[in-house]
Amino acid sequence: MDMYLYSKKPKIKKVIKSIVFWILEIVLVVFAAYLVIEYGVEKTTMMDVSMSGTLEENEKIIINKLSYLRKQPERFDVVVFKQGDSEHEFYKIRRVIGVPGDVIEIIEGMVYINGEKLEEVIKVEPMRVAGIAQEPVQLQENEYFLLGDNRNSSEDSRFASVGIVVKKDIIGKAAIRLKPFALIEKINRED
């Protein structure tokens, strides 16, 4: 009988060892998935019509959350942001028009940056409402002026409900539209 238990010990150790490694692998995979979701990429849904022409309501997109870790958002980037700390606040998606240091003004429906008319890279209509940008708006450090691509049906930086967006509120860059698949930066481009 002692001989029988002696011969089973290496097998039991081997089984225990493989169970421990299996549990460790599961923990590592769950941790890696958490890191990717929390700090890498995330899926969200376009909740309104403010980006129509580029992104339509209810389209699913992928956010690249790593894009602004080492660099700042640039003019014409489509960004995802969240204002406020409410868990019920949803993500908003708009295009960066003004970056820190810019003076933004909307004159006769057109955007002017530092006194120069903005040459749009996308197809947009002239704006009927200039909002706060009917007077020059000076952007400070870490401040961004965002507009929706559907300029006449967009709640964006022109209005007090959104206002100037600060860098800490930007979640990441809107990178991919899932259906139909497309890189967001390639959609609705001016020819």
Side-chain angles (χ1 to χ4, degrees), residues 34-136:
Y34 167 78
L35 288 177
V36 167
I37 297 299
E38 188 65 27
Y39 302 105
V41 296
E42 183 176 345
K43 183 170 100 173
T44 193
T45 302
M46 185 67 209
M47 297 301 291
D48 58 25
V49 297
S50 63
M51 291 296 289
S52 285
T54 303
L55 296 170
E56 303 303 326
E57 190 172 15
N58 296 318
E59 284 186 329
K60 307 282 188 238
I61 68 161
I62 300 293
I63 307 165
N64 177 353
K65 294 169 128 183
L66 299 172
S67 55
Y68 300 126
L69 289 181
R70 295 198 179 256
K71 67 177 196 143
Q72 300 299 314
E74 297 176 359
R75 191 175 334 279
F76 303 122
D77 283 357
V78 177
V79 298
V80 179
F81 66 102
K82 182 176 180 181
Q83 292 179 307
D85 294 327
S86 170
E87 65 182 67
H88 302 294
E89 185 73 23
F90 59 87
Y91 289 160
K92 296 173 183 163
I93 304 166
R94 304 293 185 272
R95 188 174 298 274
V96 175
I97 298 300
V99 297
D102 285 346
V103 175
I104 308 295
E105 192 171 9
I106 297 173
I107 303 169
E108 295 179 3
M110 301 304 196
V111 177
Y112 286 78
I113 299 176
N114 304 322
E116 302 278 325
K117 183 178 174 189
L118 177 66
E119 294 300 323
E120 298 279 4
V121 297
I122 55 162
K123 300 171 193 153
V124 294
E125 296 178 351
M127 288 168 275
R128 292 188 294 266
V129 178
I132 66 168
Q134 66 188 2
E135 300 292 324

Side-chain angles (χ1 to χ4, degrees), residues 1-64:
M1 180 109 168
D2 285 337
M3 187 65 112
Y4 177 74
L5 282 176
Y6 182 74
S7 67
K8 289 286 187 179
K9 274 189 174 182
K11 288 181 183 176
I12 292 172
K13 276 186 172 182
K14 190 175 183 178
V15 168
I16 291 172
K17 195 176 187 180
S18 69
I19 289 172
V20 167
F21 280 122
W22 182 71
I23 290 171
L24 282 174
E25 286 176 349
I26 290 173
V27 168
L28 285 174
V29 167
V30 168
F31 182 68
Y34 167 78
L35 288 177
V36 167
I37 297 299
E38 188 65 27
Y39 302 105
V41 296
E42 183 176 345
K43 183 170 100 173
T44 193
T45 302
M46 185 67 209
M47 297 301 291
D48 58 25
V49 297
S50 63
M51 291 296 289
S52 285
T54 303
L55 296 170
E56 303 303 326
E57 190 172 15
N58 296 318
E59 284 186 329
K60 307 282 188 238
I61 68 161
I62 300 293
I63 307 165
N64 177 353

